[in-house]
Amino acid sequence: MIEFGTGGWRAIIGDEFTRENVRLLAQGLADRMHDEGVVERGVVLSYDRRFLSDVAAWWAIEVLAGNDVPVTVITRPVPTPMCMWTVKQKGSAYGITVTASHNPALYNGIKVFTEGGRDAELEVTDEITAHVRTLDPAAVRSLAPHEVADSPLVTQQSSINWYLDAIIEQLDLDAIRHAHLSVVLDPMFGVAQTSLQTILVSARCEVSVINARHDPLFGGRMPSPAEGSLSPLRQAVLDQGADLGIATDGDADRLGIIDDLGNYLSPNQVLVLLYEYLLTGKGWSGPVVRNLSTTHLLDRVAAAHGEVCHEVPVGFKWISSKMAETDAVIGGESSGGLTVRGHIPGKDGIYAGSLLVEMVARSGKTLSAIYADLVARYGELVMEESSYGYTPARRDELQRRIFEEHDLPGFEREIDRTSWEDGCKVYFADDSWLTIRFSGTEPVIRVFAEAPTAQEAKDLSRTVADHYGLKA
C-alpha cells in the first residue's frame, strides 16, 4: 500500500518500501505524464544516503525510461532541495527524490515535486495513489537493468555546482569573509556536508564537521536536528569556541542551530531571526507565511513592520503556495523547514544555514546577542511539542472524540476561538494557542502548545494528554 502524507510516501524498508511498490509508483507517474502530455519535459531524480536509496532510484529510472520518459538522474547523494532546484531550472514536469527525510533508519520513501520544484499538491499525490492501486505489477513497463544506464533517455549528472552557485549568488560573501567566523557542521550522517562546507569555505569560514561518515543507521539516532539529538554538536561548538553550529536532517531540507553559548535555537527561533534580518538587515519588505503549528512571534514581528503573517495548514506545499500568492519574504514551519523569496518554493536547510551565517557576519554580534535583542523587542513565546503513538482502535476513538464530537479539555484560560480546518487549533485570548492533529507521515498524534513561558506551554500540553489518556 502506498500512502502519501504531508512529506511524501514513507514506509518501512522490506515491508511496504519494496522494489515492487517503487516500480508501481514510477509507472503511475509515467502514466500521469503521458495523460498530461508532458513526457518530453521529463523527470529529475535524486537520492540520499539511506539504505537502498541509490538502488531504489534506479528501480524507478528503469520504469520511467521504459515508458519513454526522459530522466535526469543526479548520480550522487545530494540534498533534496537540489532536486527541487534542478526541476525549477530545467523546466522539468516532475521531480522525484528517494528519501525518508528525518525518519528512523528503517524507513525509506519518495517525495514527488511538480513544475517549478514545488512539493506535489495533495490532489496530485491522491490521484497518483488511486491510479497505482489499479495497476497490475506484471504490467509495469521497464528497461532491463543492463539497458538503462546507456539509454538515450537517461542523463546522468554528477555536478552540484549549479545549485551551490545559485545559493552563493544570493549571499553577501564579502561580509562573511571579513567576519572570520568559526562554524561546526553536523550533517547527522546525511547529505549536507559537501554543500554547506563548500559554501562556507568559499566564504573563508573556519569549518569543522562531525557525524560526516556514511552510516545508514544514522549513528543509532533519528537524523532529525531536534534539541535532544544535538548534544554532540553543542559540545563541539563549546569545545572549539565556535560562533555557531548548524545541523541538518537526513536529506538536508531542515536545520537546527546551536549558538555560541551552546544554546539550542529552535526552528521557530531561526525563522523569526531570519524574517527580522531580511526586513531590517537586507531591507526587504513583504509578509511572512507559517503553518498553524508554528510560532506566533512571527505575527508580532510582521505587525511591528506593518506586514501580515499568513497562517496555512501543515504541509510545506501550503506555505510555498501562499508565498507565491502574496509575494511573501519567507515561509516556514516549526519542524525546521523554511524558504526565502527568490529561491526554490520548498524547504532548504543548506540555504537557510548559509543565510544565518550571513546574518551573524553582517551584525558584528554573537548569535546569542542577536537573539537576546530580538526577545527584548518582541517578547518571548515558548513552544512545547509532544507526540503520542496509538493502536488502530485508539486512533478511531481519538478521531471520533476530538475531530467529530469536538470533545475538548476544560482549559484554565479564556478561549478566543477554535479552528477545525486542519486538525484542531485552540486560540486563547492571551496569545497562547495549541494544536492537536494526526501526523501525515508517522503513526502518532501531535500536540503543539505555545505560551509566554515553558511551564505554561507544558501545562497546556499536559491538559490535552490527561484529557484523552495519551501516553508518550
Side-chain angles (χ1 to χ4, degrees):
M1 186 72 78
I2 296 173
E3 293 284 354
F4 278 83
T6 53
W9 168 53
R10 299 173 192 174
I12 294 175
I13 297 168
D15 181 5
E16 293 180 353
F17 186 84
T18 61
R19 179 175 181 270
E20 180 176 291
N21 277 344
V22 171
R23 286 167 55 85
L24 283 169
L25 182 53
Q27 183 66 55
L29 180 59
D31 290 346
R32 181 182 181 86
M33 294 179 69
H34 279 284
D35 290 344
E36 293 177 333
V38 297
V39 170
E40 71 282 355
R41 291 171 52 200
V43 172
V44 175
L45 194 146
S46 72
Y47 53 88
D48 67 2
R49 277 179 147 186
R50 282 180 181 268
F51 179 65
L52 282 183
S53 285
D54 54 346
V55 176
W58 285 97
W59 293 340
I61 294 167
E62 291 165 12
V63 174
L64 292 168
N67 285 268
D68 299 319
V69 175
V71 181
T72 296
V73 55
I74 303 168
T75 56
R76 59 192 289 183
V78 296
T80 288
M82 183 185 171
C83 181
M84 304 176 79
W85 184 87
T86 307
V87 170
K88 177 181 176 182
Q89 291 305 113
K90 290 179 64 67
S92 301
Y94 287 93
I96 291 175
T97 191
V98 184
T99 180
S101 191
H102 61 285
N103 283 61
L106 72 164
Y107 284 83
N108 212 330
I110 287 177
K111 292 181 179 180
V112 176
F113 310 116
T114 54
E115 182 179 11
R118 300 180 180 278
D119 291 285
E121 297 282 350
L122 188 61
E123 293 79 7
V124 172
T125 53
D126 282 351
E127 289 170 7
I128 293 174
T129 300
H131 177 62
V132 166
R133 289 174 182 166
T134 70
L135 297 177
D136 180 353
V140 172
R141 298 181 294 279
S142 67
L143 297 183
H146 70 277
E147 299 174 320
V148 69
D150 296 326
S151 169
L153 289 165
V154 178
T155 300
Q156 299 189 45
Q157 172 186 322
S158 61
S159 175
I160 64 173
N161 288 332
W162 299 291
Y163 164 68
L164 298 184
D165 289 343
I167 293 175
I168 289 171
E169 287 170 4
Q170 299 180 68
L171 299 173
D172 185 346
L173 253 68
D174 283 342
I176 303 174
R177 287 189 184 109
H178 291 97
H180 308 293
L181 297 177
S182 173
V183 184
V184 182
L185 303 181
D186 182 0
M188 307 194 82
F189 307 102
V191 294
Q193 178 189 0
T194 299
S195 298
L196 265 175
Q197 192 168 22
T198 298
I199 292 168
L200 296 182
V201 169
S202 297
R204 308 295 191 270
C205 292
E206 179 183 335
V207 180
S208 62
V209 187
I210 64 172
N211 298 328
R213 72 181 186 276
H214 184 193
D215 180 1
L217 297 178
F218 302 107
R221 299 190 300 273
M222 285 178 59
S224 173
E227 182 173 12
S229 301
L230 298 187
S231 295
L233 180 60
R234 174 183 288 108
Q235 195 61 53
V237 168
L238 294 174
D239 288 347
Q240 297 177 31
D243 294 289
L244 73 157
I246 303 173
T248 51
D249 69 339
D251 68 334
D253 63 355
R254 307 182 187 207
L255 84 166
I257 300 296
I258 300 295
D259 74 10
D260 52 291
L261 298 180
N263 299 313
Y264 171 74
L265 293 185
S266 72
N268 284 309
Q269 293 167 309
V270 172
L271 187 55
V272 176
L273 279 167
L274 289 180
Y275 183 43
E276 172 76 3
Y277 170 62
L278 291 170
L279 294 176
T280 61
K282 294 179 82 76
W284 293 15
S285 62
V288 61
V289 180
R290 59 164 176 78
N291 71 23
L292 58 85
S293 296
T294 299
T295 182
H296 284 204
L297 199 56
L298 286 168
D299 303 57
R300 295 182 186 177
V301 175
H305 292 278
E307 302 289 356
V308 176
C309 181
H310 297 283
E311 180 175 277
V312 297
V314 173
F316 209 86
K317 53 180 149 291
W318 301 111
I319 291 172
S320 57
S321 177
K322 181 61 75 170
M323 287 184 68
E325 174 190 329
T326 63
D327 196 30
V329 168
I330 193 170
E333 56 190 12
S334 59
S335 58
L338 65 88
T339 193
V340 174
R341 185 169 67 201
H343 192 47
I344 60 172
K347 303 186 290 284
D348 191 343
I350 305 298
Y351 179 71
S354 302
L355 186 61
L356 197 74
V357 171
E358 178 192 289
M359 180 194 75
V360 174
R362 292 187 63 188
S363 73
K365 300 179 180 180
T366 63
L367 183 53
S368 58
I370 297 171
Y371 188 72
D373 289 346
L374 187 82
V375 171
R377 285 196 299 274
Y378 302 111
E380 190 164 25
L381 291 171
V382 183
M383 184 177 292
E384 176 76 12
E385 305 176 22
S386 303
S387 297
Y388 305 95
Y390 49 73
T391 62
R394 187 79 170 102
R395 190 191 195 285
D396 292 341
E397 178 201 346
L398 293 170
Q399 171 68 31
R400 174 182 55 78
R401 286 184 63 187
I402 303 172
F403 305 113
E404 297 173 16
E405 298 176 356
H406 296 176
D407 170 23
L408 292 177
F411 296 105
E412 295 181 355
R413 60 186 69 204
E414 181 184 352
I415 294 176
D416 178 60
R417 61 190 173 94
T418 303
S419 170
W420 300 94
E421 179 184 3
D422 181 19
C424 170
K425 182 165 184 177
V426 181
Y427 302 79
F428 297 102
D430 65 353
D431 208 23
S432 303
W433 57 268
L434 69 84
T435 61
I436 311 169
R437 61 185 304 279
F438 287 112
S439 169
T441 56
E442 300 171 71
V444 297
I445 190 165
R446 299 195 193 280
V447 179
F448 289 74
E450 186 174 64
T453 68
Q455 189 58 54
E456 290 176 279
K458 288 179 180 179
D459 289 345
L460 283 173
S461 182
R462 176 49 54 193
T463 300
V464 173
D466 289 347
H467 183 72
Y468 300 116
L470 301 174
K471 303 294 184 184

